[in-house]
Each structure stands twice: as C-alpha cells, then as structure tokens.
Amino acid sequence: MSTSADYRPTRRIEGKPRVFVTRSLLPETQDRMAQLFDVTLNADDHPLSRAELIAAMQAAHVIVPTVTDRIDADMIAQAGPQLGLIANFGAGTEHVDLSAARARKIIVTNTPGVFTDDTADMTIALIISVTRRLNHGGRMLRAGKWEGWAPSTMLGHRLAGKTLGIVGMGRIGQAVAHRARAFGLNVAYNSRHRLPEALETMFGARFEADLDRLVADADILTLHCPATPETHHLIDARRIALMKPEAYLVNTARGQLVEEEALIAALVEGRIGGAGLDVFEHEPQVDARLLAHHNVAILPHMGSATFEGRIASGDKVIANIRFWADGHRPPDQVLEGLV
C-alpha cells in the first residue's frame, strides 16, 4: 500500500477515457463501462493474441486485463504514451510485469477481497470431494460400474480430528480456517507473517514456522499463496515426499505453486492419498494423467466463478478507473508510490 506521502495527483483525463477490456465481463459491468467510458469490449471473448494486446496498449488510456493476459516488459515498452492505468480484473497480478509498469509510470490496480468467500467455499468443496471420493463415485455412476452399496467399498476419510495445513494465511487462508472449524478440523498454518494471538484463538489455528514440518504433519494441505518467483514450485518433489501416505493436497490458488510432474508421480505411485485441484501449472492444458486418476478431484479454475464475485470485481475495476481518470489515486493501487 502507498502512503499519503507517496501521493501526487495525475493529469485528469478530459472527456471519457479510452478503456480496452480484454475479456467479456458480465453485462452489468460492461453496460456501466459503456455509460462511463469510451470502451472497447471483446465481443466474442477470445483470448487475445500478443499483437492484439500490444495494439490495445498503444491506443487506450486504460487496459483491463485478466489472469489469461500475459503483459510482459517488452509489451509495456511498446505501449503508447497515453497508457496510464492497467486496471486488472482480479486480485492476482503475476501476469503483469510490475517492475516494467513502474519504470513506465503506469499504475496497476487489482480487485482484492471480492473472491475471498467464493474461493474459500471452493476449497472446502474440494477437500470434501477428495477425502470422501465424490469425484470417483460420480465417475463410477456415469460409467455404469456401480453394483450397489457394500460396507467395504468407496471408503474415504472423515474430516473431524484431522489436521488441515494452510500455506498462506491471508484473506482466503483465514476464510478457509474459519470454515474448517465447523468440520472439526485442527488448523495449523505457515505464513510470512504470524497472525495476532486473538485471530489464532478465533480460528483455533496453530502457527508452524517450518513449512517442511507443516507439510509432514498435515492430513490435508491447502495452498493460498500468490504466484511469485519465490513461491514457484513451493510444493516440489522434495516436499511432496514429506507428505503422509494418506495425505491430500488441495490447490485453489495458482498452478505454479506445485511441481505438477512430481505430484503426478506421487499419485501414480500411491505415495499420497489424493489431490483436489482447481488450478494447473500449464493451464488451460491439463495433464491427462490428472484427468484419469481416480483420486483427483478436478475443476476448471472455478474458485472465483460466482455472479456476486464477478460483479463486485467489475465494480472495483470501474471505481479504480474513475478515480484515476479524475486525477486521484485509485483505491486498489498495487504499485507503491505511482499515483
């Protein structure tokens, strides 16, 4: 966050700012943008090519990208002098070269907090799905292979009394911890910053400073970190080898946090109990071995996919653009000191 000492007003945009939106958003958001801005929309919602993104950055005052749009230093270097704001739709900004934007004095904003509950809900859904083999059972039914109830088949694990290891205790990690208490899970967490004692008490959460120890202790390990160079393959082959043979790995954050090849090897060899995945290292490509494995609960990056969350994210994007166009600091500025 920037401080008041960092603030210096931008030049106010005369008339409506030219805004380019890279993906199709909900009608409520697009209609409001059309009223307020000189907006160009992506009518057929196709993922834009590099050339299309550069062309947009050469013409617009504001570009509104999403996680599917990689904006690197070379693209930012080719942006027109009028481009002053990258108003990201979503909380993550790993797809934007923030250092290059800083060098060009282009402000970057995001939409923090709007998907917290949605992603936490999906995390719990994946935890239940993989531990109780819901995905496996559904596949069996659809394939016509279910032969009726039996006392020793399709057994999973109860959640009560198990240890949930949370890696990253920001907004979403805390929301998951809050929900986990209702299922009787014992919560332990690792994070860059320890929570205040009052919050730990409220969540019933135990801080574990050593990530390796948390990985080894957890019955269910769930990831809630941003994708950064430091967190790339945070859960690699070495750490996967530390997991209990019946432990589960759940990831609703970013696919790059997990060394996917090492995860697949552990699943195929039966060295861990299973995985619940909403994100993938090379998405939208998903390894066929993950799709086929019976004990992988798998979803197509749906953690934030609610009407309420997407509308709220659009509202934040609009607010950030309006503040910036009026010469004020956007409320969700990512780059400190550039206003």
Side-chain angles (χ1 to χ4, degrees), residues 117-127 250 252 278 299 302-303:
D117 287 331
D118 304 328
T119 307
D121 290 346
M122 190 63 81
T123 300
I124 296 296
L126 280 173
I127 288 172
V250 174
T252 57
D278 186 43
L299 296 171
M302 292 170 56

Side-chain angles (χ1 to χ4, degrees), residues 32-54:
R32 185 62 175 151
M33 284 182 166
Q35 294 171 2
L36 296 170
F37 314 130
D38 178 5
V39 65
T40 299
L41 301 172
N42 184 345
D44 63 2
D45 197 30
H46 70 282
L48 298 183
S49 68
R50 183 181 182 85
E52 288 174 308
L53 284 169
I54 291 172

Side-chain angles (χ1 to χ4, degrees), residues 187-310:
V187 175
Y189 75 97
N190 175 274
S191 198
R192 286 183 301 171
H193 305 291
R194 184 170 181 173
L195 294 178
E197 184 178 353
L199 283 179
E200 288 186 343
T201 300
M202 182 176 73
F203 296 134
R206 169 178 59 85
F207 178 66
E208 177 52 75
D210 187 328
L211 178 56
D212 285 356
R213 195 152 49 223
L214 180 72
V215 170
D217 186 49
D219 298 300
I220 305 157
L221 189 71
T222 180
L223 310 181
H224 301 289
C225 309
T228 67
E230 293 73 29
T231 62
H232 183 77
H233 285 183
L234 184 70
I235 306 301
D236 57 8
R238 184 186 68 81
R239 286 200 167 113
I240 290 172
L242 296 175
M243 295 177 67
K244 296 176 180 178
E246 293 185 341
Y248 300 92
L249 177 65
V250 174
N251 188 7
T252 57
R254 288 291 186 264
Q256 294 82 1
L257 300 179
V258 177
E259 185 181 350
E260 200 165 272
E261 190 63 35
L263 172 62
I264 292 169
L267 288 164
V268 171
E269 295 165 13
R271 290 187 279 111
I272 64 171
L277 305 173
D278 186 43
V279 290
F280 309 93
E281 187 171 2
H282 306 292
E283 63 181 67
Q285 285 75 41
V286 180
D287 194 293
R289 291 169 293 177
L290 289 174
L291 294 171
H293 200 279
H294 71 278
N295 214 19
V296 177
I298 203 162
L299 296 171
H301 204 147
M302 292 170 56
S304 64
T306 66
F307 289 104
E308 295 85 354
R310 296 286 164 84

